[in-house]
Amino acid sequence: MRVLVTGGMGYIGSHTCIQLLNAGHDPIIVDNLSNSKPLVLDRIQKITGRRPGFVLGDVCDKRFLINVLQEHKVESVIHFAGVKSVGESNSLPIKYYENNFIGSLRLIEAMQSANVTSLVFSSSATVYGDPASVPIKESFPIQPTNPYGRSKSMVEQFLQDFQHANSDWSITLLRYFNPIGAHDSGLVGEDPNGEPSNLVPYIAQVAFGKRYSLGIFGNDYDTPDGTGIRDYVHVVDLADGHLAALNKTINTPGTHVFNLGTGRGHSVLEILRAFEEHSKLKIPYSIKPRRQGDIAKCWANVADAHKILQWKATRSLATMIKDTWNWQVMNPNGYDS
Ligand code: WQD
């Protein structure tokens, strides 16, 4: 299947393109390279032996998108392109609503013009905000608590309204929990710009000696060890979740929503200990004040993805840590190495 992958040069997009190529699909990447490097294409080709199509451009450019959809005879779209830092979204709301919401609106307009009627959308568990209980089901209230989460929930609402008015469309919303890890080749991985805002890449840089110490944002949460609990899922498992969505729902008109996680939670201290166990290195840390917008517990109920997509995360926490460390050691400065 010819699949347009917006943001396909990014962390989750590049891993998904690898799985698409390995499964015999033909991904065409559209990316503005605002948060990724051209080297990713060579790495994808080195891993799979095939080079995905690549067109430099922005999802907010409708004319550009229509041309790409038509010239490449695209059959379906996976939409990753967007911005995703909760912290940054508090200070730059225009950037988040423009990239995430306007970008998605322009993409749908272009797809409509090119008569492409199937979409998989990269959403996030952040749309749930602070849940009343865990594990979180897809039916739980959508109550985001920051501009990033609100921009994602606005896209979800728009897509549901659009599909209701265009009943022949198939639209699948995938709500990621915490993607971590890297392809086991160590050739592609998470390459944050500057200081990582997420836990696992930060720990990897401390372990590697790029950072002095980890700041743990609060150890007074209502959790067994006081630190925040999240559902960490291997990025390759997450990529496989997109292929399952393509296979299972893309020809089924309607709107489909799935949590993509492991269904298990791990605390910050558990992740730190797992890293020390694997790397045999001591990871210094200090307790800092809670981070604005953080919640205590967040992990997924993944029954729907298991039942309907026949998808299940298979990689263990140890594998996630091993692959993260392998990527860090092989690429000390990410794709700039
Ligand atoms: C995890 C835990 C922190 C950094 C983020 C995005 C979310 C989604 C997934 C895109 C929390 C603690 C972190 C640090 C720490 N991305 N922590 N010190 O916030 O659950 O979700 O990634 O959709 O949108 O917000 O992930 O890795 O930032 O934090 O103590 O230096 O680690 O408090 O408990 P988060 P995270």
Side-chain angles (χ1 to χ4, degrees):
M1 191 188 298
R2 289 182 300 279
V3 186
L4 180 74
V5 183
T6 75
M9 299 284 271
Y11 174 44
I12 303 169
S14 56
H15 285 84
T16 301
C17 284
I18 288 166
Q19 300 307 91
L20 285 167
L21 288 162
N22 288 339
H25 291 293
D26 297 310
I28 301 102
I29 297 172
V30 159
D31 202 304
N32 65 8
L33 298 180
S34 63
N35 191 23
S36 50
K37 305 278 189 329
L39 177 62
V40 172
L41 269 184
D42 299 330
R43 297 288 180 89
I44 292 173
Q45 183 172 8
K46 195 166 182 181
I47 292 168
T48 64
R50 296 175 62 202
R51 194 174 183 85
F54 172 71
V55 191
L56 178 66
D58 198 300
V59 289
C60 289
D61 182 345
K62 187 169 83 171
R63 190 71 250 150
F64 159 75
L65 287 172
I66 293 172
N67 290 339
V68 175
L69 289 164
Q70 291 174 336
E71 281 167 28
H72 292 269
K73 298 182 176 54
V74 168
E75 297 166 86
S76 61
V77 177
I78 302 180
H79 180 34
F80 291 105
V83 282
K84 65 151 191 137
S85 165
V86 168
E88 185 188 49
S89 76
N90 286 303
S91 49
L92 298 174
I94 289 177
K95 177 179 177 181
Y96 277 72
Y97 285 102
E98 183 170 27
N99 279 280
N100 294 350
F101 182 70
I102 299 296
S104 300
L105 184 77
R106 293 288 173 260
L107 174 65
I108 291 294
E109 288 178 321
M111 288 175 67
Q112 196 171 36
S113 301
N115 196 29
V116 179
T117 60
S118 53
L119 172 77
V120 174
F121 173 62
S122 165
S123 192
S124 168
T126 313
V127 302
Y128 294 114
D130 193 355
S133 64
V134 281
I136 300 170
K137 291 183 181 171
E138 288 85 351
S139 58
F140 274 25
I142 300 304
Q143 45 187 19
T145 57
N146 55 72
Y148 164 69
R150 280 189 283 274
S151 71
K152 285 290 191 181
S153 65
M154 274 178 73
V155 175
E156 287 197 0
Q157 190 55 66
F158 156 64
L159 291 174
Q160 292 178 59
D161 289 342
F162 178 83
Q163 199 284 331
H164 186 69
N166 298 271
S167 56
D168 58 329
W169 280 57
S170 164
I171 293 181
T172 300
L173 313 177
L174 299 181
R175 294 175 181 160
Y176 311 155
F177 280 68
N178 287 56
I180 63 169
H183 191 268
D184 60 9
S185 65
L187 291 172
V188 292
E190 189 170 9
D191 184 21
N193 280 332
E195 181 174 349
S197 61
N198 293 140
L199 177 69
V200 170
Y202 200 103
I203 289 179
Q205 291 190 11
V206 172
F208 195 72
K210 284 188 75 170
R211 310 249 172 228
Y212 294 112
S213 165
L214 171 71
I216 294 182
F217 299 141
N219 67 346
D220 57 350
Y221 286 101
D222 177 18
T223 62
D225 66 19
T227 63
I229 296 176
R230 297 292 184 276
D231 185 333
Y232 297 95
V233 55
H234 197 293
V235 64
V236 178
D237 278 331
L238 200 67
D240 286 340
H242 292 75
L243 271 73
L246 276 183
N247 296 335
K248 293 288 177 191
T249 62
I250 223 64
N251 296 316
T252 311
T255 302
H256 319 280
V257 188
F258 300 101
N259 289 334
L260 293 190
T262 65
R264 275 203 60 192
H266 291 282
S267 74
V268 174
L269 282 171
E270 285 174 325
I271 297 294
L272 186 138
R273 300 287 178 239
F275 231 100
E276 291 183 326
E277 171 66 27
H278 175 74
S279 63
K280 304 299 179 216
L281 296 167
K282 194 83 186 111
I283 297 172
Y285 69 87
S286 59
I287 303 299
K288 303 285 187 188
R290 291 184 177 191
R291 178 172 64 177
Q292 182 197 3
D294 271 357
I295 60 176
K297 304 171 195 171
C298 177
W299 66 88
N301 177 310
V302 288
D304 284 0
H306 292 181
K307 183 162 156 268
I308 299 166
L309 297 183
Q310 270 96 56
W311 172 86
K312 187 175 170 63
T314 60
R315 292 165 179 84
S316 66
L317 179 65
T319 299
M320 297 182 219
I321 301 293
K322 172 179 73 66
D323 291 339
T324 301
W325 185 233
N326 184 45
W327 158 255
Q328 175 65 62
V329 170
M330 287 178 64
N331 305 270
N333 298 310
Y335 291 111
D336 289 336
S337 304

